[in-house]
Amino acid sequence: MKLLRFGAPGAEKPGLLDADGVIRDLSGVVPDLAGDVLSPEGLARLAAVNTEELPMVSPTMRLGPPVGGTRNFVAIGLNYADHAAESGAAVPKEPIVFLKSLNSLAGPDDDVAIPPDSRKTDWEVELAIIIGTLARRVSPEAALEHVAGYAICNDVSEREWQMERGGTWDKGKSADGYGPVGPWLVTADEVPDPQDLGMWLEVDGRRMQDGSTRTMIFDVRTIVSYVSQFITLHPGDIITTGTPPGVAMGMKPPAYLRPGQVMRLGIDGLGVQTQKTVAAE
């Protein structure tokens, strides 16, 4: 299934994308795509719904993040060896874990507002893991049992704040709207191998990133297990798993984002995001 949430920010309703590409309203079936709805049993109940009986939603309706009730927005740094190289960093021996503020969560096509004192805002196409059931200190062998599905994340990053303002990554990753997720949560049964997905990102029509999850250093099951040793993961939590090379920081000279540009990014089977950059008010 392709599950989604639509409507104004903070007032999104649950929905799904049917086999014909039509958005259907699930708000008469479940209150939100959160909590137990994301469990295997909850997803099985949604899969049994007759989509033709659900109300249709306008294709122009805004899409929000595809899950609600998120408690933790976790990110993994330098998880592609070639991206580590372009960043001038060593390949990590363990996953690098940091948090993005929940304020950074945004819909897949929302504008990205660049703060007035930002000089080095960058892009990162990433595979996001959506947690479906509580995961606390789970083994790698059991890790995928806790995954509801996958989505696209643009881990927008302010590199000066990340690298040059005291050594902690979180503040360079957490500006309002710096974490678009979606357009859909694609359930795990429709992603047979999350380690074999092509991924790309364009800025103003120019291809910047063109990679594959095959080149991850730490795979999905390792990441879920590892993070769960330190952070209890709840249904609706998001783990974004790192980016392939091609970010602005690695260019010579770097070409960071400025207001008035358009980012377009996608991952095989998970849809496409499109964001315009604007100046924050």
Side-chain angles (χ1 to χ4, degrees):
M1 287 182 294
K2 293 180 174 65
L3 302 174
L4 54 88
R5 296 166 74 243
F6 63 91
E12 291 93 348
K13 295 181 179 181
L16 60 77
L17 195 73
D18 71 16
D20 296 319
V22 175
I23 299 173
R24 300 282 184 164
D25 187 346
L26 277 172
S27 60
V29 180
V30 292
D32 201 357
L33 297 175
D36 290 344
V37 174
L38 300 172
S39 70
E41 296 78 15
L43 294 177
R45 286 192 290 271
L46 291 183
V49 171
N50 183 352
T51 58
E52 294 183 356
E53 297 179 354
L54 298 173
M56 292 188 291
V57 177
S58 168
T60 63
M61 180 68 70
R62 171 192 176 266
L63 298 183
V67 288
T70 302
R71 299 191 191 188
N72 296 294
F73 192 0
V74 183
I76 307 299
L78 299 177
N79 195 31
Y80 289 71
D82 35 13
H83 173 57
E86 74 172 347
S87 304
V91 173
K93 295 180 180 179
E94 295 186 40
I96 295 173
V97 179
F98 61 93
L99 297 175
K100 290 177 73 76
S101 167
L102 294 181
N103 291 327
S104 70
L105 267 177
D109 301 324
D110 289 349
D111 291 345
V112 171
I114 299 177
D117 54 345
S118 167
R119 297 188 298 173
K120 297 182 179 181
T121 288
D122 205 345
W123 57 81
E124 293 189 2
V125 59
E126 303 197 1
L127 174 69
I129 304 164
I130 311 296
I131 299 298
T133 57
L134 186 130
R136 180 186 296 120
R137 295 186 291 277
V138 301
S139 68
E141 293 74 22
L144 296 185
E145 299 171 12
H146 298 272
V147 174
Y150 302 92
I152 302 167
C153 176
N154 188 356
D155 179 20
V156 184
S157 308
E158 214 300 341
R159 301 300 189 187
E160 182 182 24
W161 302 355
Q162 177 188 356
M163 305 291 191
E164 304 171 35
R165 297 288 299 275
T168 59
W169 286 20
D170 303 45
K171 59 179 172 273
K173 301 282 191 167
S174 293
D176 292 351
Y178 270 33
V181 178
W184 321 300
L185 181 170
V186 180
T187 51
D189 61 296
E190 293 193 5
V191 187
D193 186 359
Q195 305 309 145
D196 189 21
L197 300 174
M199 54 204 308
W200 54 272
L201 182 144
E202 298 173 349
V203 178
D204 294 337
R206 178 184 173 191
R207 184 66 58 101
M208 299 298 191
Q209 293 185 274
D210 203 345
S212 170
T213 58
R214 290 191 300 272
T215 63
M216 278 185 181
I217 299 167
F218 305 104
D219 63 12
V220 167
R221 66 174 66 246
T222 300
I223 289 169
V224 173
S225 173
Y226 186 87
V227 172
S228 77
Q229 309 306 311
F230 309 98
I231 301 170
T232 297
L233 298 169
H234 297 265
D237 283 358
I238 299 167
I239 308 175
T240 190
T241 59
T243 197
V247 299
M249 179 175 61
M251 300 172 66
K252 299 186 186 302
Y256 294 110
L257 292 165
R258 61 187 186 278
Q261 295 186 286
V262 175
M263 291 180 284
R264 190 168 180 268
L265 55 150
I267 297 179
D268 291 349
L270 304 186
V272 174
Q273 298 184 356
T274 304
Q275 297 118 21
K276 181 180 178 181
T277 57
V278 299
E281 298 179 358

